[in-house]
Amino acid sequence: MDTSKVLGVDVGGSGIKAAIIDTKTGELLSERLRVNTPKPSKPEAMATALQELVAMHQWKKGLVGVGFPAIVSQGVAHSAANIDDAWIGTSIEKVFGDAINCPIVALNDADAAGIAEMRFGVGKGKRGTVMLLTIGTGIGSALFTDGKLVSNSELGHIRMFGESAERYVSDSARKRDDLNWDEFGQRFNEYLLYVQRVFFPDLVILGGGISKKFDKYQQHFTAKFPVVPATFRNKAGAIGAAMYAKEIWEAK
Ligand code: BGC
């Protein structure tokens, strides 16, 4: 199996994106193509959507890395906050692998994005506890200690006001409650202060589409650790998924 190029897939609540990644440099060797996430997002429907994406890339039999928006352990989904409940207990690697006839390695989507940032982005060479938080439909987290991933950290689900924090501070919460950037910044700061109580990261990297607007809300942050925007934003998931797939495949 040639792992110098891997198809990196980023599964999200609204879209599934894929690009061919050069696993030496982390660079995109193709356009990042997208199909809509089917509604409801049941496994069979998602597998059909992935088939379409794989055909668009003319990807045949090569390794595929999938970042998936759930707890992922040994290729199996164990939660479903923003996707269909039918995924719980389902092997992402088997369902997707059977559909596209390619070997698949799956991991949590935020963990994938974190790997890209630590390898090639703003987290490169950073020691201590580094955390990537992706703000989108939900809040994803990736936790690193001296560059090593501690998988499935799920910090979007710490409790705030009796609910998962992501119900209060995600990008979908911002849109739902029609928050301006100041209001969003203040809410996100409350969240960061919660994080500070349980962890004391040396660095927090903010990812997801909203990291582009970082300068509009960062002035509200009062936590003691530095918070910086991600380097790759919406490409990080596909890059990190491909990198991870290569490593797991080669270690087999
Ligand atoms: C899920 C995480 C995921 C995050 C971002 C959360 O609701 O629980 O597993 O990483 O959304 O997609």
Side-chain angles (χ1 to χ4, degrees), residues 55-91:
M56 281 155 78
H57 276 294
Q58 302 187 327
W59 190 255
K60 297 197 179 94
K61 303 226 189 286
L63 184 61
V64 178
V66 175
F68 197 83
I71 295 170
V72 182
S73 170
Q74 313 296 319
V76 175
H78 287 281
S79 66
N82 295 305
I83 45 158
D84 196 90
D85 280 351
W87 277 104
I88 298 176
T90 299
S91 170

Side-chain angles (χ1 to χ4, degrees), residues 157-177:
H157 293 282
I158 55 175
R159 294 276 151 185
M160 281 180 85
F161 312 117
E163 281 193 300
S164 277
E166 66 177 20
R167 301 271 310 145
Y168 182 64
V169 286
S170 58
D171 199 29
S172 43
R174 179 184 69 84
K175 289 178 187 149
R176 181 198 62 213
D177 294 346

Side-chain angles (χ1 to χ4, degrees), residues 11 68-71 79 81-82 108-110 134 138-141 154 157 166:
V11 178
F68 197 83
I71 295 170
S79 66
N82 295 305
N108 171 264
D109 58 348
T134 61
I139 291 189
S141 62
E154 293 294 328
H157 293 282
E166 66 177 20

Side-chain angles (χ1 to χ4, degrees), residues 220-233:
H220 295 288
F221 296 171
T222 58
K224 290 187 182 140
F225 44 77
V227 182
V228 297
T231 304
F232 294 111
R233 292 169 183 154

